[in-house]
Coordinates of all heavy atoms in Angstrom, one line a residue:
V1 N 0.9 -1.2 0.0 CA 0.0 0.0 0.0 C 0.9 1.2 0.0 O 1.9 1.3 0.7 CB -0.9 0.0 1.2 CG1 -1.8 1.3 1.3 CG2 -1.8 -1.2 1.2
W2 N 0.5 2.2 -0.8 CA 1.3 3.4 -1.0 C 0.7 4.6 -0.3 O -0.5 4.7 -0.2 CB 1.5 3.7 -2.5 CG 2.2 2.6 -3.2 CD1 1.7 1.5 -3.8 CD2 3.6 2.5 -3.4 NE1 2.6 0.7 -4.3 CE2 3.9 1.3 -4.1 CE3 4.7 3.3 -3.1 CZ2 5.1 0.9 -4.5 CZ3 6.0 2.9 -3.4 CH2 6.2 1.7 -4.1
N3 N 1.6 5.5 0.1 CA 1.1 6.7 0.7 C 0.4 7.6 -0.4 O 0.7 7.6 -1.5 CB 2.3 7.5 1.3 CG 1.9 8.6 2.2 OD1 0.8 8.6 2.8 ND2 2.7 9.7 2.2
D4 N -0.5 8.4 0.1 CA -1.2 9.4 -0.8 C -1.6 10.6 0.1 O -1.7 10.5 1.3 CB -2.4 8.8 -1.5 CG -3.5 8.4 -0.6 OD1 -4.0 9.3 0.2 OD2 -4.0 7.2 -0.6
P5 N -1.8 11.7 -0.6 CA -2.1 12.9 0.2 C -3.6 13.1 0.4 O -4.1 14.1 0.9 CB -1.6 14.1 -0.7 CG -1.8 13.5 -2.1 CD -1.5 12.0 -2.0
V6 N -4.4 12.1 0.1 CA -5.9 12.2 0.1 C -6.5 11.6 1.3 O -7.3 12.2 2.0 CB -6.5 11.6 -1.2 CG1 -8.0 11.7 -1.2 CG2 -5.9 12.3 -2.4
N7 N -6.2 10.4 1.6 CA -6.9 9.6 2.7 C -6.4 9.9 4.1 O -5.2 10.0 4.3 CB -6.8 8.1 2.4 CG -7.5 7.7 1.1 OD1 -8.8 7.9 1.1 ND2 -6.8 7.3 0.1
L8 N -7.3 10.1 5.0 CA -6.9 10.3 6.4 C -6.3 9.0 7.0 O -6.6 7.9 6.6 CB -8.2 10.7 7.2 CG -8.9 12.0 6.8 CD1 -10.2 12.1 7.6 CD2 -8.0 13.2 7.0
M9 N -5.4 9.2 8.0 CA -4.8 8.1 8.6 C -5.8 7.2 9.3 O -5.7 6.0 9.2 CB -3.8 8.6 9.7 CG -2.6 9.3 9.1 SD -1.5 9.8 10.4 CE -0.6 11.1 9.6
S10 N -6.8 7.8 9.9 CA -7.9 6.9 10.5 C -8.6 6.1 9.5 O -9.0 4.9 9.8 CB -8.8 7.8 11.3 OG -9.4 8.8 10.4
Y11 N -8.8 6.6 8.3 CA -9.5 5.9 7.2 C -8.6 4.7 6.8 O -9.1 3.6 6.6 CB -9.8 6.8 6.1 CG -10.5 6.1 4.9 CD1 -11.8 5.7 5.0 CD2 -9.8 5.8 3.7 CE1 -12.5 5.0 4.0 CE2 -10.5 5.2 2.7 CZ -11.8 4.8 2.8 OH -12.4 4.1 1.8
V12 N -7.3 4.9 6.7 CA -6.4 3.8 6.3 C -6.4 2.7 7.3 O -6.5 1.5 7.0 CB -5.0 4.4 6.0 CG1 -4.0 3.2 5.7 CG2 -4.9 5.4 4.9
V13 N -6.4 3.1 8.6 CA -6.5 2.1 9.7 C -7.8 1.3 9.5 O -7.8 0.1 9.6 CB -6.4 2.7 11.0 CG1 -6.8 1.8 12.2 CG2 -5.0 3.3 11.3
F14 N -8.9 2.0 9.3 CA -10.2 1.3 9.1 C -10.2 0.3 7.9 O -10.6 -0.8 8.0 CB -11.3 2.4 8.8 CG -12.5 1.8 8.2 CD1 -13.5 1.2 9.0 CD2 -12.8 2.0 6.9 CE1 -14.6 0.7 8.5 CE2 -14.0 1.4 6.3 CZ -14.9 0.8 7.1
V15 N -9.6 0.7 6.8 CA -9.5 -0.2 5.6 C -8.7 -1.4 5.9 O -9.1 -2.5 5.6 CB -8.9 0.6 4.4 CG1 -8.7 -0.4 3.2 CG2 -9.9 1.7 4.0
F16 N -7.5 -1.2 6.6 CA -6.7 -2.4 7.0 C -7.5 -3.3 7.9 O -7.4 -4.6 7.7 CB -5.4 -1.9 7.6 CG -4.4 -1.3 6.7 CD1 -3.4 -0.6 7.2 CD2 -4.6 -1.3 5.3 CE1 -2.4 0.1 6.4 CE2 -3.7 -0.6 4.5 CZ -2.6 0.0 5.0
M17 N -8.2 -2.8 8.8 CA -9.0 -3.6 9.7 C -10.1 -4.3 9.0 O -10.3 -5.5 9.2 CB -9.5 -2.8 10.9 CG -8.5 -2.3 11.8 SD -9.1 -1.1 13.0 CE -10.2 -2.1 14.0
R18 N -10.8 -3.6 8.1 CA -11.9 -4.2 7.4 C -11.5 -5.2 6.4 O -12.1 -6.3 6.3 CB -12.7 -3.0 6.7 CG -13.8 -3.4 5.9 CD -15.1 -3.6 6.7 NE -16.2 -4.0 5.9 CZ -17.2 -3.2 5.6 NH1 -17.3 -2.0 6.2 NH2 -18.2 -3.6 4.9
V19 N -10.6 -4.9 5.5 CA -10.2 -5.8 4.4 C -9.3 -6.9 4.9 O -9.4 -8.1 4.5 CB -9.5 -5.0 3.3 CG1 -9.0 -6.0 2.2 CG2 -10.5 -4.0 2.7
L20 N -8.2 -6.6 5.7 CA -7.2 -7.6 6.1 C -7.5 -8.2 7.4 O -6.7 -9.1 7.8 CB -5.8 -6.9 6.0 CG -5.5 -6.3 4.7 CD1 -4.3 -5.3 4.8 CD2 -5.2 -7.4 3.7
G21 N -8.4 -7.7 8.2 CA -8.7 -8.3 9.5 C -7.7 -8.0 10.5 O -7.6 -8.7 11.5
F22 N -7.0 -6.9 10.3 CA -6.0 -6.5 11.3 C -6.6 -6.0 12.6 O -7.7 -5.4 12.5 CB -5.1 -5.4 10.7 CG -4.1 -5.7 9.7 CD1 -3.3 -4.8 9.1 CD2 -3.9 -7.1 9.2 CE1 -2.4 -5.1 8.1 CE2 -3.0 -7.4 8.3 CZ -2.2 -6.4 7.7
T23 N -5.9 -6.2 13.7 CA -6.3 -5.5 14.9 C -6.0 -4.0 14.7 O -5.3 -3.6 13.8 CB -5.4 -6.0 16.1 OG1 -4.1 -5.7 15.9 CG2 -5.6 -7.5 16.3
R24 N -6.6 -3.2 15.6 CA -6.3 -1.7 15.5 C -4.8 -1.4 15.6 O -4.3 -0.6 14.9 CB -7.1 -1.0 16.6 CG -6.9 0.5 16.5 CD -7.8 1.3 17.3 NE -9.2 1.1 17.0 CZ -9.9 1.6 16.0 NH1 -9.2 2.4 15.2 NH2 -11.1 1.4 15.8
E25 N -4.1 -2.2 16.5 CA -2.7 -2.0 16.7 C -1.9 -2.3 15.5 O -1.0 -1.5 15.1 CB -2.2 -2.8 17.9 CG -2.8 -2.4 19.2 CD -4.2 -2.8 19.5 OE1 -4.7 -3.7 18.8 OE2 -4.9 -2.2 20.3
K26 N -2.2 -3.4 14.8 CA -1.5 -3.8 13.6 C -1.8 -2.9 12.5 O -0.9 -2.5 11.7 CB -1.8 -5.3 13.3 CG -1.0 -5.8 12.1 CD -1.2 -7.3 11.9 CE -0.3 -7.8 10.8 NZ -0.5 -9.3 10.6
A27 N -3.0 -2.5 12.3 CA -3.4 -1.6 11.3 C -2.7 -0.2 11.5 O -2.3 0.4 10.5 CB -4.9 -1.4 11.3
T28 N -2.6 0.2 12.7 CA -2.0 1.5 13.0 C -0.5 1.4 12.7 O 0.1 2.4 12.1 CB -2.2 1.9 14.5 OG1 -3.6 2.0 14.7 CG2 -1.5 3.2 14.8
K29 N 0.1 0.3 13.0 CA 1.6 0.1 12.7 C 1.8 0.2 11.2 O 2.7 0.9 10.7 CB 2.0 -1.3 13.2 CG 3.4 -1.6 12.8 CD 3.7 -3.1 13.2 CE 4.9 -3.7 12.5 NZ 4.8 -3.9 11.0
H30 N 1.0 -0.4 10.4 CA 1.2 -0.4 8.9 C 0.8 1.0 8.4 O 1.5 1.5 7.5 CB 0.3 -1.5 8.2 CG 1.0 -2.8 8.3 ND1 2.0 -3.2 7.5 CD2 0.7 -3.9 9.2 CE1 2.4 -4.5 7.8 NE2 1.6 -4.9 8.8
M31 N -0.2 1.6 8.9 CA -0.5 3.0 8.5 C 0.6 3.9 8.7 O 0.9 4.8 7.9 CB -1.8 3.5 9.2 CG -2.2 4.9 8.9 SD -1.3 6.2 9.9 CE -1.9 5.8 11.5
L32 N 1.2 3.8 9.9 CA 2.4 4.7 10.2 C 3.6 4.4 9.3 O 4.3 5.3 8.9 CB 2.8 4.6 11.7 CG 1.8 5.2 12.7 CD1 2.2 4.8 14.1 CD2 1.7 6.7 12.5
E33 N 3.7 3.1 8.9 CA 4.8 2.8 8.0 C 4.5 3.4 6.6 O 5.5 4.0 6.0 CB 5.0 1.3 7.9 CG 6.1 0.9 7.0 CD 6.4 -0.6 7.0 OE1 5.4 -1.4 7.3 OE2 7.5 -1.0 6.7
V34 N 3.3 3.4 6.2 CA 2.9 4.0 4.9 C 3.2 5.5 5.0 O 3.8 6.1 4.1 CB 1.4 3.8 4.6 CG1 0.9 4.7 3.5 CG2 1.2 2.3 4.3
H35 N 2.8 6.1 6.1 CA 2.9 7.6 6.3 C 4.4 8.0 6.3 O 4.8 9.0 5.7 CB 2.2 8.0 7.6 CG 2.3 9.4 7.9 ND1 1.7 10.4 7.1 CD2 3.0 10.1 8.8 CE1 1.9 11.6 7.6 NE2 2.7 11.4 8.7
R36 N 5.2 7.2 7.0 CA 6.6 7.6 7.2 C 7.5 7.2 6.1 O 8.5 7.9 5.7 CB 7.1 7.0 8.6 CG 6.5 7.7 9.8 CD 6.9 7.0 11.1 NE 6.2 7.6 12.2 CZ 5.9 7.0 13.3 NH1 6.2 5.7 13.4 NH2 5.3 7.6 14.3
S37 N 7.3 6.0 5.6 CA 8.2 5.4 4.6 C 7.6 5.5 3.1 O 8.3 5.2 2.2 CB 8.5 3.9 4.9 OG 9.1 3.8 6.2
G38 N 6.4 5.9 3.0 CA 5.8 6.0 1.7 C 5.1 4.7 1.2 O 4.3 4.7 0.2
K39 N 5.3 3.6 1.9 CA 4.7 2.3 1.5 C 4.8 1.3 2.7 O 5.6 1.5 3.6 CB 5.3 1.7 0.3 CG 6.7 1.3 0.4 CD 7.3 0.7 -0.8 CE 8.8 0.4 -0.7 NZ 9.3 -0.3 -1.9
S40 N 4.0 0.3 2.6 CA 4.0 -0.8 3.6 C 3.6 -2.1 2.9 O 2.6 -2.1 2.1 CB 3.1 -0.5 4.8 OG 3.2 -1.6 5.7
V41 N 4.3 -3.2 3.2 CA 3.9 -4.5 2.7 C 2.9 -5.0 3.7 O 3.2 -5.3 4.9 CB 5.1 -5.5 2.6 CG1 4.6 -6.8 2.2 CG2 6.1 -4.9 1.6
V42 N 1.6 -5.1 3.3 CA 0.6 -5.4 4.3 C 0.2 -6.9 4.2 O -0.5 -7.4 5.1 CB -0.7 -4.6 4.1 CG1 -0.4 -3.1 4.4 CG2 -1.3 -4.7 2.7
A43 N 0.6 -7.6 3.2 CA 0.4 -9.1 3.1 C 1.3 -9.7 2.1 O 1.7 -9.1 1.1 CB -1.1 -9.3 2.6
T44 N 1.7 -11.0 2.4 CA 2.4 -11.8 1.5 C 1.5 -13.1 1.4 O 1.4 -13.8 2.3 CB 3.8 -12.2 2.1 OG1 4.5 -11.0 2.4 CG2 4.6 -13.1 1.2
E45 N 0.9 -13.2 0.2 CA -0.1 -14.2 0.0 C 0.1 -14.9 -1.4 O 1.0 -14.5 -2.2 CB -1.5 -13.5 0.0 CG -1.9 -12.9 1.3 CD -2.3 -13.9 2.3 OE1 -2.4 -15.1 2.0 OE2 -2.4 -13.5 3.5
T46 N -0.7 -15.9 -1.6 CA -0.8 -16.5 -2.9 C -1.2 -15.4 -3.9 O -1.8 -14.4 -3.5 CB -1.8 -17.7 -3.0 OG1 -3.1 -17.2 -2.7 CG2 -1.4 -18.8 -2.0
R47 N -1.0 -15.7 -5.2 CA -1.4 -14.7 -6.2 C -2.9 -14.4 -6.2 O -3.3 -13.3 -6.3 CB -1.0 -15.2 -7.6 CG -1.3 -14.3 -8.7 CD -0.4 -13.2 -8.8 NE -0.7 -12.3 -9.9 CZ 0.0 -11.3 -10.3 NH1 1.0 -10.9 -9.6 NH2 -0.4 -10.5 -11.3
E48 N -3.7 -15.5 -6.0 CA -5.1 -15.3 -6.0 C -5.6 -14.5 -4.9 O -6.4 -13.6 -5.0 CB -5.8 -16.7 -6.0 CG -7.3 -16.7 -6.1 CD -7.8 -18.1 -6.1 OE1 -8.1 -18.7 -5.0 OE2 -8.0 -18.6 -7.2
R49 N -5.1 -14.8 -3.7 CA -5.5 -14.0 -2.5 C -5.0 -12.5 -2.6 O -5.7 -11.6 -2.2 CB -4.9 -14.7 -1.2 CG -5.1 -13.9 0.1 CD -6.6 -13.9 0.5 NE -7.0 -15.2 0.8 CZ -8.0 -15.5 1.6 NH1 -8.6 -14.5 2.3 NH2 -8.3 -16.7 1.9
A50 N -3.8 -12.4 -3.1 CA -3.2 -11.0 -3.3 C -4.1 -10.2 -4.2 O -4.3 -9.0 -4.0 CB -1.8 -11.1 -3.8
E51 N -4.6 -10.8 -5.3 CA -5.4 -10.1 -6.2 C -6.7 -9.7 -5.6 O -7.3 -8.6 -5.9 CB -5.7 -11.0 -7.5 CG -4.4 -11.1 -8.4 CD -4.5 -12.0 -9.5 OE1 -5.6 -12.8 -9.6 OE2 -3.6 -12.1 -10.3
L52 N -7.3 -10.6 -4.7 CA -8.5 -10.3 -4.0 C -8.3 -9.1 -3.1 O -9.1 -8.1 -3.1 CB -9.0 -11.5 -3.2 CG -10.2 -11.2 -2.3 CD1 -11.4 -10.8 -3.2 CD2 -10.5 -12.4 -1.5
Y53 N -7.2 -9.1 -2.3 CA -6.9 -8.0 -1.4 C -6.7 -6.7 -2.2 O -7.1 -5.6 -1.8 CB -5.7 -8.3 -0.6 CG -5.9 -9.2 0.6 CD1 -4.8 -10.0 1.1 CD2 -7.1 -9.4 1.2 CE1 -5.0 -10.9 2.1 CE2 -7.3 -10.3 2.2 CZ -6.2 -11.0 2.7 OH -6.4 -11.9 3.7
H54 N -6.0 -6.8 -3.3 CA -5.7 -5.7 -4.2 C -7.0 -5.0 -4.6 O -7.2 -3.8 -4.5 CB -4.9 -6.1 -5.4 CG -4.5 -5.1 -6.4 ND1 -5.3 -4.7 -7.4 CD2 -3.4 -4.3 -6.5 CE1 -4.8 -3.8 -8.1 NE2 -3.6 -3.5 -7.6
Q55 N -7.9 -5.8 -5.1 CA -9.2 -5.3 -5.6 C -10.0 -4.7 -4.5 O -10.5 -3.6 -4.6 CB -10.0 -6.5 -6.2 CG -11.3 -6.1 -6.8 CD -12.0 -7.3 -7.4 OE1 -12.0 -8.4 -6.8 NE2 -12.7 -7.1 -8.5
Q56 N -10.0 -5.3 -3.3 CA -10.8 -4.8 -2.2 C -10.2 -3.5 -1.6 O -10.9 -2.5 -1.4 CB -10.9 -5.8 -1.0 CG -11.7 -7.0 -1.4 CD -11.6 -8.1 -0.4 OE1 -10.6 -8.3 0.3 NE2 -12.7 -8.9 -0.2
I57 N -8.9 -3.4 -1.5 CA -8.2 -2.2 -1.0 C -8.4 -1.1 -2.0 O -8.7 0.1 -1.6 CB -6.7 -2.5 -0.7 CG1 -6.6 -3.4 0.5 CG2 -6.0 -1.2 -0.4 CD1 -5.2 -4.0 0.8
Q58 N -8.3 -1.3 -3.3 CA -8.5 -0.3 -4.3 C -9.9 0.2 -4.3 O -10.1 1.4 -4.5 CB -8.2 -0.9 -5.7 CG -6.8 -0.6 -6.1 CD -6.6 -0.9 -7.6 OE1 -7.2 -1.7 -8.2 NE2 -5.7 -0.1 -8.2
A59 N -10.9 -0.7 -4.0 CA -12.3 -0.2 -3.9 C -12.5 0.8 -2.8 O -13.4 1.6 -2.9 CB -13.2 -1.5 -3.7
F60 N -11.6 0.8 -1.8 CA -11.7 1.8 -0.7 C -10.9 3.1 -1.1 O -10.9 4.0 -0.3 CB -11.2 1.2 0.6 CG -12.2 0.3 1.3 CD1 -12.2 -1.0 1.2 CD2 -13.2 0.9 2.1 CE1 -13.2 -1.8 1.8 CE2 -14.2 0.2 2.7 CZ -14.1 -1.2 2.6
G61 N -10.3 3.1 -2.3 CA -9.7 4.3 -2.7 C -8.2 4.4 -2.3 O -7.6 5.5 -2.5
L62 N -7.6 3.3 -1.9 CA -6.2 3.4 -1.5 C -5.4 2.9 -2.7 O -5.8 2.1 -3.6 CB -5.9 2.5 -0.3 CG -6.6 2.8 1.0 CD1 -6.1 1.9 2.1 CD2 -6.4 4.3 1.4
T63 N -4.1 3.4 -2.8 CA -3.2 3.0 -3.9 C -2.5 1.7 -3.4 O -1.8 1.7 -2.4 CB -2.2 4.1 -4.2 OG1 -3.0 5.3 -4.6 CG2 -1.3 3.7 -5.4
V64 N -2.6 0.7 -4.2 CA -2.0 -0.6 -3.8 C -1.4 -1.3 -5.1 O -1.9 -1.1 -6.2 CB -3.0 -1.5 -3.1 CG1 -4.2 -1.8 -4.0 CG2 -2.5 -2.8 -2.6
T65 N -0.3 -2.0 -4.9 CA 0.3 -2.8 -6.0 C 0.6 -4.2 -5.5 O 0.7 -4.4 -4.3 CB 1.6 -2.2 -6.5 OG1 2.5 -2.0 -5.5 CG2 1.3 -0.8 -7.2
I66 N 0.6 -5.1 -6.4 CA 1.1 -6.5 -6.1 C 2.5 -6.6 -6.7 O 2.8 -6.2 -7.8 CB 0.2 -7.5 -6.8 CG1 -1.2 -7.4 -6.2 CG2 0.8 -8.9 -6.6 CD1 -2.2 -8.3 -7.0
E67 N 3.4 -7.0 -5.8 CA 4.8 -7.2 -6.3 C 5.3 -8.6 -5.9 O 4.9 -9.2 -4.9 CB 5.7 -6.2 -5.6 CG 5.3 -4.7 -5.9 CD 6.2 -3.7 -5.1 OE1 7.1 -4.1 -4.4 OE2 5.8 -2.5 -5.3
P68 N 6.1 -9.2 -6.7 CA 6.6 -10.6 -6.4 C 7.5 -10.5 -5.2 O 8.2 -9.5 -4.9 CB 7.4 -10.9 -7.7 CG 7.7 -9.7 -8.4 CD 6.6 -8.7 -8.0
V69 N 7.5 -11.6 -4.5 CA 8.4 -11.7 -3.3 C 9.8 -11.9 -3.8 O 10.1 -12.6 -4.7 CB 8.0 -13.0 -2.5 CG1 9.0 -13.2 -1.3 CG2 6.6 -12.8 -1.9
E70 N 10.7 -11.1 -3.2 CA 12.1 -11.2 -3.6 C 12.8 -12.4 -3.0 O 12.5 -12.7 -1.8 CB 12.9 -9.9 -3.2 CG 12.4 -8.7 -3.8 CD 13.1 -7.4 -3.4 OE1 14.2 -7.6 -2.8 OE2 12.6 -6.4 -3.6
S71 N 13.5 -13.2 -3.8 CA 14.1 -14.4 -3.3 C 15.4 -14.1 -2.5 O 16.2 -13.2 -2.8 CB 14.5 -15.3 -4.4 OG 13.3 -15.6 -5.1

């Protein structure tokens, strides 16, 4: 998930909790990583599951990409 100047931090936490099932603490940790570093890896999944998360997170208006795991 990539940082953007549009969405509020509280909204990003909400999306992570809703889509990924994160606790508030874990969602906040990833939101702060997005805010401070510009991005956060929120899941490492099978291609099919990653595509589902990608679609769901995008539907909430966040910028997200799928990237291969580095070996």
